[in-house]
């Protein structure tokens, strides 16, 4: 294990040189059998209401030119990230969404697919998108460079945003808990209260980050159509 503050995020549990911590990403599949129940339960109705809301939101952002069923990709992406983020709030569960290995593996293929599709099918639109409207003639060359850089860093910003937000709260909770043994009873109670409030904040961050990741992916896909 790495001897630094980030060693708690090091996936070291392994058998036959394969990290078993990454299997925590598949725990969300345990909820799939609920869809095969003959009589829907409250959990299934709750998830259906979330999926319908996300479908309307993504369909509105994608525009009328989007393909039928394209929102299922982003709904699945939202669900996968949300499951992993919430699992990271549990004790002794590895947070896979706090690693660039996971976040970049989600962002880079999506971005690459959008770029390949856009440049092959809508080349003129992609070229026109490099220069915003009413741009002065002297600034056109600079705008092309700036737009190219902003497009190239999109998968990195998606991956780093998710990783940084997930790792920051976990690291702060860990640092606060390490000081508990040196505090008095009164300060210890205040520490526990602050950690509970921070855990509630982290629960909101897990939902927000999954939503932001899927929303930005939807907006990026809309730009190539």
């Amino acid at each position: 294990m790495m001897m630094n503050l980030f060693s708690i995020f090091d996936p070291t549990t392994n058998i036959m040189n394969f990290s078993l911590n990454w299997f925590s990403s598949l725990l969300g599949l345990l909820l799939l059998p609920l869809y095969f129940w003959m009589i829907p339960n409250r959990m299934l109705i709750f998830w259906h209401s979330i999926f319908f809301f996300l479908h309307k939101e993504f369909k509105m952002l994608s525009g009328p030119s989007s393909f039928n069923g394209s929102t299922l990709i982003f709904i699945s992406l939202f669900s996968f990230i949300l499951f992993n983020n919430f699992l990271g709030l549990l004790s002794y569960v590895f947070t896979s969404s706090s690693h660039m290995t996971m976040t970049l593996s989600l962002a880079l293929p999506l971005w690459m697919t959008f770029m390949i599709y856009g440049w092959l099918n809508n080349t003129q639109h992609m070229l026109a998108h490099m220069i915003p409207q009413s741009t002065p003639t002297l600034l056109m060359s600079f705008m092309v460079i700036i737009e190219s850089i902003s497009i190239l860093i999109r998968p990195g910003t998606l991956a780093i945003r998710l990783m940084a937000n997930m790792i920051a709260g976990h690291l702060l909770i860990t640092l606060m808990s390490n000081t508990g043994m040196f505090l008095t009873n009164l300060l210890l109670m205040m520490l526990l209260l602050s950690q509970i409030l921070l855990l509630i904040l982290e629960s909101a961050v897990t939902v927000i980050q999954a939503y932001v990741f899927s929303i930005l992916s939807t907006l990026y896909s809309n730009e190539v159509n």
Side-chain angles (χ1 to χ4, degrees), residues 134-153:
S134 67
T135 301
T137 306
L138 296 177
L139 297 179
M140 286 185 177
S141 58
F142 296 102
M143 291 304 299
V144 172
I145 298 175
I146 294 174
E147 287 293 327
S148 301
I149 294 175
S150 65
I151 292 175
L152 291 176
I153 65 175

Side-chain angles (χ1 to χ4, degrees), residues 6-220:
F6 295 92
S7 60
I8 58 174
F9 303 101
D10 182 26
T12 55
T13 304
N14 60 75
I15 295 179
M16 299 178 63
N17 296 324
F18 184 78
S19 177
L20 295 181
N21 284 313
W22 293 104
F23 276 113
S24 63
S25 302
L26 303 178
L27 293 179
L29 297 176
L30 297 177
L31 298 177
L32 287 180
L34 297 177
Y35 285 90
F36 299 98
W37 286 24
M38 185 172 297
I39 301 177
N41 60 345
R42 294 182 180 180
M43 177 70 72
L44 183 59
I45 296 174
F46 173 71
W47 277 111
H48 275 180
S49 62
I50 294 178
F51 290 162
F52 282 129
F53 171 78
L54 292 175
H55 170 71
K56 294 179 181 178
E57 192 77 14
F58 295 154
K59 191 67 175 178
M60 180 183 64
L61 294 176
S62 299
S65 59
S66 61
F67 297 101
N68 293 328
S70 59
T71 57
L72 295 177
I73 301 175
F74 305 108
I75 292 176
S76 302
L77 183 65
F78 172 84
S79 303
F80 180 73
I81 297 176
L82 183 65
F83 285 143
N84 285 278
N85 290 350
F86 264 115
L87 287 173
L89 297 178
L90 303 178
S91 301
Y92 305 106
V93 177
F94 173 66
T95 312
S96 58
S97 57
S98 64
H99 277 253
M100 284 289 290
T101 306
M102 172 67 73
T103 57
L104 196 60
S105 298
L106 294 174
L108 188 58
L110 279 174
W111 174 84
M112 187 67 69
T113 304
F114 297 153
M115 289 295 102
I116 293 175
Y117 173 82
W119 284 106
L120 291 180
N121 296 278
N122 301 316
T123 307
Q124 186 176 1
H125 171 74
M126 296 294 291
L127 289 173
H129 187 69
M130 303 294 291
I131 301 177
Q133 293 182 353
S134 67
T135 301
T137 306
L138 296 177
L139 297 179
M140 286 185 177
S141 58
F142 296 102
M143 291 304 299
V144 172
I145 298 175
I146 294 174
E147 287 293 327
S148 301
I149 294 175
S150 65
I151 292 175
L152 291 176
I153 65 175
R154 281 178 178 177
T157 54
L158 275 178
I160 294 174
R161 181 187 293 107
L162 177 59
M163 180 206 69
N165 281 279
M166 294 310 301
I167 202 173
H170 291 67
L171 189 61
L172 182 59
I173 293 176
T174 303
L175 292 175
M176 292 174 63
S177 61
N178 289 337
T179 61
M181 63 184 69
F182 306 107
L183 301 178
T184 61
N185 292 333
L186 179 60
L187 293 177
L188 185 60
M189 293 298 294
M190 296 177 62
L191 177 64
L192 291 176
L193 180 60
S194 60
Q195 284 193 321
I196 291 174
L197 296 176
L198 186 59
L199 187 61
I200 295 174
L201 177 62
E202 278 294 296
S203 301
V205 169
T206 57
V207 181
I208 293 172
Q209 289 306 312
Y211 183 73
V212 168
F213 195 99
S214 55
I215 282 291
L216 290 178
S217 301
T218 307
L219 293 176
Y220 295 158

